[in-house]
Amino acid sequence: MNLSIVIPLLNEDESLKELHDWIVKVMQANQYSYEIIFIDDGSTDDSWEVITKLKEKNPNVRAIRFLRNFGKSQALHAAFKETRGDVIITMDADLQDSPDEIPELYDMIVKDGYDLVSGWKKKRYDSVIRKNLPSKLFNWAARKTSGVQLNDFNCGLKSYHKDVVKNVEVYGEMHRYVPVLAKNAGFSKIGEKVVIHQARKYGVSKFGIDRFINGFLDLISIWFLARFGKRPMHLFGLMGTIMFIVGLFAAGFIGALKLYKLFIGEKAILITENPWFYIALTTMIIGTQLFLAGFIGELVVRNKPHETRYKIKEVI
């Protein structure tokens, strides 16, 4: 199979039929073998009923329905497990991503040898203050932190080689960082393509300014996990050991200084009256706690059970 089109959605019943028909038109024009996988992330409108009707007309339609809203990352995770195409395309369901971009994205994977190609909405039709400016700041921070030189991490229109989606685990709110996860997994050929961004035709955006706040927090998480996720002792153990040694030497110096003063006959205050003693003691205690945090982190990593992060209500 040439293509798997993955479409996560939440309350997009007005746009689904138009999007489906547009995708089918592109597939037929290019003679692709394909499947369309809709992931209904807990919609409360008629989205599932629309998908069911589309399935009746088109056997290439597949769908997964969550019990409630679990988030876009969980939707992508569920869909990636089910994909059968050589190339996987992800796109939003709100018609702001154009299916006409699919052939070029497909060719960049198949002919140009890219592992992953991310869309870049160079010209946007979103609010400048609420979305454009925060997005620019967010993308700048993501480039500097991750080393992946993309202009638009948030673009939902991306194409993947099948090996990428089968080896990269999307969790939490990490859907915007799939290129970073792919790079950390060893997929180095990551490209970018300028894509058309269309004005929203139906409904309202499901994302607010909080997604950028969460995005920055996720960026810190992915940076930490990439470097210390498998060996937390390397960070916490090192920091704890250094702090403990500094505190130990400081306490030893304070004690030796008092003994020296007593030896030469100078007046010396009690060690417990010296504020530097408590600073040294606190440093030793924090160092010990950091070391134990690293040790416990190692135990958690080595004994982490498999975790189901979403509940599926129905599959067609």
Side-chain angles (χ1 to χ4, degrees):
M1 181 180 293
N2 298 130
L3 281 162
S4 293
I5 315 296
V6 172
I7 306 172
L9 62 106
L10 175 64
N11 296 333
E12 299 285 1
D13 57 352
E14 294 177 299
S15 62
L16 289 177
K17 184 179 185 304
E18 185 175 338
L19 177 62
H20 166 270
D21 293 346
W22 193 354
I23 292 173
V24 170
K25 180 181 176 182
V26 173
M27 297 297 104
Q28 292 176 346
N30 291 273
Q31 297 183 331
Y32 292 137
S33 56
Y34 71 98
E35 62 181 357
I36 304 173
I37 304 179
F38 292 103
I39 311 93
D40 185 349
D41 189 19
S43 294
T44 55
D45 62 1
D46 294 328
S47 293
W48 187 252
E49 287 71 20
V50 173
I51 293 170
T52 302
K53 291 178 181 178
L54 292 175
K55 171 64 178 177
E56 292 173 357
K57 297 178 180 179
N58 184 357
N60 295 313
V61 170
R62 303 171 66 197
I64 299 170
R65 186 184 189 187
F66 285 174
L67 274 170
R68 63 170 178 82
N69 177 241
F70 286 96
K72 188 173 182 178
S73 293
Q74 323 322 319
L76 291 177
H77 182 273
F80 285 168
K81 290 170 60 178
E82 301 298 326
T83 55
R84 299 175 294 188
D86 295 328
V87 175
I88 290 79
I89 303 286
T90 59
M91 62 191 311
D92 294 334
D94 54 13
L95 292 173
Q96 289 190 284
D97 295 332
S98 171
D100 290 334
E101 304 282 358
I102 291 176
E104 286 189 53
L105 290 169
Y106 175 81
D107 287 342
M108 290 180 75
I109 299 293
V110 175
K111 297 180 180 179
D112 299 335
Y114 283 97
D115 297 314
L116 184 157
V117 178
S118 181
W120 175 15
K121 297 175 181 177
K122 197 170 184 177
K123 182 179 180 181
R124 300 180 65 95
Y125 292 93
D126 295 322
S127 167
V128 173
I129 296 177
R130 288 193 306 110
K131 286 195 174 182
N132 286 8
L133 291 179
S135 181
K136 289 181 183 298
L137 178 60
F138 165 79
N139 286 314
W140 174 83
R143 285 194 298 272
K144 294 297 183 182
T145 305
S146 68
V148 178
Q149 299 304 310
L150 295 179
N151 289 286
D152 191 356
F153 284 83
N154 275 315
C155 182
L157 185 58
K158 293 181 172 69
S159 61
Y160 309 83
H161 189 278
K162 63 181 180 181
D163 291 341
V164 175
V165 302
K166 299 302 182 182
N167 288 283
V168 170
E169 186 173 359
V170 189
Y171 56 92
E173 289 296 322
M174 296 296 183
H175 55 272
R176 56 179 66 87
Y177 296 119
V178 174
V180 182
L181 296 173
K183 178 191 173 187
N184 292 341
F187 297 99
S188 58
K189 195 165 184 183
I190 298 173
E192 188 170 49
K193 179 187 180 300
V194 175
V195 297
I196 298 171
H197 181 231
Q198 304 184 122
R200 176 178 276 274
K201 190 173 182 179
Y202 303 105
V204 296
S205 174
K206 310 303 186 297
F207 298 99
I209 192 68
D210 59 317
R211 73 169 179 167
F212 295 107
I213 298 173
N214 294 334
F216 282 114
L217 296 176
D218 290 337
L219 189 59
I220 296 172
S221 297
I222 202 169
W223 172 84
F224 174 82
L225 291 173
R227 288 161 174 78
F228 306 108
K230 298 297 183 183
R231 287 291 183 269
M233 182 62 86
H234 288 185
L235 176 66
F236 293 109
L238 177 62
M239 292 172 58
T241 301
I242 291 173
M243 291 192 70
F244 183 85
I245 291 174
V246 169
L248 181 64
F249 274 99
F253 176 78
I254 293 168
L257 183 62
K258 177 174 182 178
L259 291 175
Y260 174 74
K261 287 185 176 182
L262 291 174
F263 178 75
I264 63 176
E266 288 187 11
K267 184 178 179 180
I269 64 172
L270 293 173
I271 289 179
T272 54
E273 294 179 354
N274 188 336
W276 288 105
F277 170 73
Y278 292 101
I279 294 175
L281 188 62
T282 301
T283 303
M284 293 171 64
I285 292 172
I286 294 176
T288 302
Q289 290 177 330
L290 286 171
F291 185 88
L292 290 175
F295 180 73
I296 293 171
E298 288 281 339
L299 294 178
V300 171
V301 168
R302 293 172 186 270
N303 297 280
K304 183 179 179 181
H306 176 72
E307 180 184 4
T308 301
R309 297 183 298 275
Y310 48 83
K311 302 295 182 183
I312 294 176
K313 181 177 181 180
E314 190 175 352
V315 176
I316 58 173

